[in-house]
Amino acid sequence: MPSRKKTTMFASAFCTCVSSFVLICVVLATQQWVSSEVRFSRTNSSVIISLDYGLFRGTCEQFVEAGLQVSKKTFQVADSLSSTKTKSTNVAIIVILVLSLLTSLLSSGFTCINAVSNPYQTFLGPIGVYTWNSICGILILIAMILFPVNIEAQGLSEELARGCSTALQSHIKSKHSYGYSYWIMLLILFLNIASLIIIYFYDHARYSKKKEHERPIENAPKDVILF
C-alpha cells in the first residue's frame, strides 16, 4: 500500500486531471468561442453580421445600416466553410482537443493507480503522469494558438458571415471578442501545470528521503564498513 503522503499527493493530482478532462468536454460542447462583428458594404448601404460560434455550430444576425435587423439564424460551421485552409484548421483543432481529452483521461488513470497502489512498472509512476500531462498541456496550447490564427489570419469569421447573408460586397472591417469556451483552455493549461508541480514535489521529496537513508552508510568509518 502507498504511504499516506503519496496517496494525498496523487489524489490531489487526480482531482486536477479529472477537472481538466471535464473542462475539455465543456470546451468541445459549447459554442461560446468567439463573438465577431463583421462589416460589409452593399449597394447604397453597409451591413453588419454579428456572429457567435464555436467549433461545430453558431448563430448569426444581420443588421442593415438603417437599423433593420434580420432574425437570428443557426448554422453548422463545417457546412458554411468553403476554404480548404479554414476548414482543415478547424478540423485540426477538433482532433487536437480530442487527443488532449484522451491524454487527460490517461493522466487521470495513472494518478488514480498511484493513489491506491505502488505500481512496479516505472512508466506507470510519476514518469507516466509527467508524460501525459505534458502532452495534454502542449496540445491545449497548440489549440489556443491555432484558433486565433484561423480567425485573424485566415478570415474564418468573414467566411462564415458571407454564408449568413447574400449580396455582400467588399469586407470593410471586423471586430472579435473571444468567449469563455476559448479562455477555459487557459484554465486547463494551469490545471496541467498544477498536476506536474504536485507530482514533482512528491518525486523530489521521495528522492531526498532516499538520499538521507544512503548518507549514513557513505559517512560511516571504513573499518566499520569492512567489519
Side-chain angles (χ1 to χ4, degrees):
M1 289 294 293
S3 64
R4 183 177 296 179
K5 183 177 181 180
K6 181 183 178 181
T7 300
T8 304
M9 298 288 275
F10 275 94
S12 301
F14 172 75
C15 291
T16 59
C17 292
V18 170
S19 300
S20 174
F21 177 82
V22 172
L23 289 176
I24 295 171
C25 292
V26 171
V27 165
L28 283 166
T30 55
Q31 67 179 47
Q32 301 301 320
W33 277 67
V34 66
S35 298
S36 298
E37 285 189 2
V38 188
R39 183 182 289 270
F40 292 92
S41 64
R42 199 159 66 177
T43 307
N44 300 324
S45 66
S46 65
V47 178
I48 296 175
I49 307 294
S50 179
L51 301 158
D52 291 294
Y53 63 93
L55 298 174
F56 300 101
R57 62 188 181 278
T59 57
C60 63
E61 293 177 279
Q62 179 179 325
F63 300 89
V64 183
E65 194 174 45
L68 179 65
Q69 178 183 350
V70 179
S71 59
K72 186 178 288 188
K73 177 183 173 183
T74 303
F75 62 89
Q76 296 297 318
V77 173
D79 297 336
S80 302
L81 296 177
S82 56
S83 170
T84 306
K85 280 186 177 181
T86 52
K87 185 178 285 189
S88 59
T89 305
N90 195 66
V91 171
I93 294 169
I94 294 170
V95 171
I96 286 168
L97 287 176
V98 170
L99 289 174
S100 69
L101 192 69
L102 294 175
T103 55
S104 183
L105 184 62
L106 284 168
S107 185
S108 300
F110 276 44
T111 51
C112 182
I113 289 170
N114 281 272
V116 298
S117 65
N118 293 313
Y120 293 105
Q121 293 87 348
T122 305
F123 189 71
L124 290 177
I127 293 175
V129 180
Y130 286 142
T131 302
W132 295 121
N133 268 279
S134 300
I135 293 172
C136 183
I138 291 168
L139 290 172
I140 292 295
L141 187 60
I142 292 171
M144 289 193 73
I145 293 169
L146 283 180
F147 188 71
V149 167
N150 206 20
I151 292 174
E152 307 289 347
Q154 299 180 171
L156 176 62
S157 292
E158 288 83 349
E159 189 175 345
L160 292 173
R162 288 187 182 277
C164 289
S165 182
T166 57
L168 296 176
Q169 295 178 356
S170 60
H171 170 246
I172 299 173
K173 66 176 182 178
S174 300
K175 185 171 67 174
H176 311 291
S177 176
Y178 295 95
Y180 68 83
S181 299
Y182 176 78
W183 294 115
I184 283 175
M185 290 195 290
L186 196 60
L187 179 57
I188 296 169
L189 197 59
F190 287 147
L191 286 171
N192 279 279
I193 293 170
S195 299
L196 291 173
I197 291 172
I198 291 169
I199 302 306
Y200 170 78
F201 276 120
Y202 163 75
D203 215 17
H204 182 72
R206 186 183 64 169
Y207 179 77
S208 300
K209 190 174 181 180
K210 184 180 177 182
K211 283 295 181 183
E212 285 178 5
H213 283 299
E214 292 175 354
R215 196 169 297 152
I217 298 175
E218 292 174 357
N219 296 335
K222 289 183 178 179
D223 55 344
V224 175
I225 296 173
L226 290 172
F227 177 76

